[in-house]
Short mmCIF file of all heavy atoms in Angstrom, two decimals:
data_model
loop_
_atom_site.label_atom_id
_atom_site.label_comp_id
_atom_site.label_asym_id
_atom_site.label_seq_id
_atom_site.Cartn_x
_atom_site.Cartn_y
_atom_site.Cartn_z
N PRO A 119 26.25 5.39 -6.59
CA PRO A 119 26.22 5.05 -7.85
C PRO A 119 25.93 3.44 -8.02
O PRO A 119 26.67 2.62 -7.38
CB PRO A 119 27.61 5.31 -8.50
CG PRO A 119 28.03 6.40 -7.53
CD PRO A 119 27.55 5.91 -6.12
N VAL A 120 25.05 3.01 -8.92
CA VAL A 120 24.84 1.64 -9.08
C VAL A 120 24.94 1.42 -10.59
O VAL A 120 24.50 2.09 -11.46
CB VAL A 120 23.41 1.22 -8.73
CG1 VAL A 120 23.12 -0.21 -9.09
CG2 VAL A 120 23.18 1.40 -7.25
N ALA A 121 25.88 0.36 -11.06
CA ALA A 121 26.11 0.05 -12.39
C ALA A 121 25.30 -1.33 -12.78
O ALA A 121 25.12 -2.23 -12.10
CB ALA A 121 27.59 -0.11 -12.64
N SER A 122 24.87 -1.24 -14.00
CA SER A 122 24.19 -2.42 -14.47
C SER A 122 25.13 -3.70 -14.77
O SER A 122 24.60 -4.79 -14.87
CB SER A 122 23.16 -1.98 -15.69
OG SER A 122 24.08 -1.70 -16.91
N GLY A 123 26.30 -3.26 -15.19
CA GLY A 123 27.18 -4.31 -15.67
C GLY A 123 28.16 -4.68 -14.68
O GLY A 123 28.17 -4.05 -13.44
N PRO A 124 29.11 -5.52 -14.84
CA PRO A 124 30.17 -5.95 -13.91
C PRO A 124 31.12 -4.87 -13.65
O PRO A 124 31.14 -3.88 -14.49
CB PRO A 124 30.84 -7.25 -14.62
CG PRO A 124 30.52 -7.02 -15.98
CD PRO A 124 29.23 -6.30 -16.11
N PRO A 125 31.94 -4.88 -12.65
CA PRO A 125 32.83 -3.80 -12.38
C PRO A 125 33.71 -3.31 -13.55
O PRO A 125 33.90 -2.12 -13.72
CB PRO A 125 33.78 -4.30 -11.21
CG PRO A 125 32.75 -5.39 -10.52
CD PRO A 125 32.10 -5.90 -11.63
N GLN A 126 34.20 -4.21 -14.34
CA GLN A 126 34.98 -3.84 -15.39
C GLN A 126 34.19 -3.34 -16.69
O GLN A 126 34.86 -2.85 -17.50
CB GLN A 126 35.88 -5.05 -15.88
CG GLN A 126 35.20 -6.35 -16.40
CD GLN A 126 34.77 -7.20 -15.17
OE1 GLN A 126 34.47 -6.81 -14.15
NE2 GLN A 126 34.61 -8.49 -15.60
N LEU A 127 32.93 -3.58 -16.55
CA LEU A 127 32.10 -3.16 -17.71
C LEU A 127 30.78 -2.56 -17.13
O LEU A 127 29.74 -3.10 -17.26
CB LEU A 127 31.74 -4.35 -18.70
CG LEU A 127 32.84 -4.88 -19.58
CD1 LEU A 127 32.34 -6.15 -20.22
CD2 LEU A 127 33.42 -3.83 -20.59
N PRO A 128 30.91 -1.29 -16.65
CA PRO A 128 29.73 -0.78 -15.86
C PRO A 128 28.52 -0.52 -16.82
O PRO A 128 27.31 -0.53 -16.42
CB PRO A 128 30.18 0.57 -15.20
CG PRO A 128 31.35 0.87 -15.94
CD PRO A 128 32.13 -0.51 -16.41
N THR A 129 28.68 -0.07 -17.94
CA THR A 129 27.75 0.13 -19.01
C THR A 129 26.89 1.27 -18.72
O THR A 129 26.93 2.35 -19.08
CB THR A 129 27.08 -1.15 -19.40
OG1 THR A 129 27.88 -2.30 -19.69
CG2 THR A 129 26.11 -0.93 -20.64
N LEU A 130 25.81 0.90 -17.83
CA LEU A 130 24.80 1.97 -17.50
C LEU A 130 24.95 2.32 -15.97
O LEU A 130 24.90 1.38 -15.15
CB LEU A 130 23.50 1.50 -17.82
CG LEU A 130 22.31 2.31 -17.36
CD1 LEU A 130 22.34 3.73 -18.27
CD2 LEU A 130 20.91 1.66 -17.64
N VAL A 131 25.38 3.45 -15.69
CA VAL A 131 25.58 3.78 -14.26
C VAL A 131 24.45 4.88 -13.76
O VAL A 131 24.16 5.78 -14.46
CB VAL A 131 26.88 4.53 -14.11
CG1 VAL A 131 27.15 4.91 -12.57
CG2 VAL A 131 27.97 3.53 -14.51
N LEU A 132 23.75 4.39 -12.71
CA LEU A 132 22.71 5.25 -12.17
C LEU A 132 23.19 5.98 -10.90
O LEU A 132 23.59 5.39 -9.99
CB LEU A 132 21.41 4.30 -11.92
CG LEU A 132 20.27 4.88 -11.21
CD1 LEU A 132 19.52 5.55 -12.12
CD2 LEU A 132 19.55 3.96 -10.38
N LYS A 133 22.98 7.16 -10.97
CA LYS A 133 23.25 8.09 -9.80
C LYS A 133 22.20 9.26 -9.61
O LYS A 133 22.43 10.28 -10.16
CB LYS A 133 24.80 8.57 -9.86
CG LYS A 133 25.15 9.34 -8.53
CD LYS A 133 26.58 9.88 -8.54
CE LYS A 133 27.08 10.38 -7.23
NZ LYS A 133 26.16 11.26 -6.56
N PRO A 134 21.19 8.90 -8.77
CA PRO A 134 20.12 9.86 -8.79
C PRO A 134 20.50 11.12 -7.92
O PRO A 134 21.40 10.93 -7.02
CB PRO A 134 18.93 9.11 -8.22
CG PRO A 134 19.64 8.02 -7.36
CD PRO A 134 20.91 7.71 -8.14
#
Side-chain angles (χ1 to χ4, degrees):
V120 177
S122 63
Q126 63 273 29
L127 292 171
T129 308
L130 178 65
V131 179
L132 178 79
K133 190 179 188 306

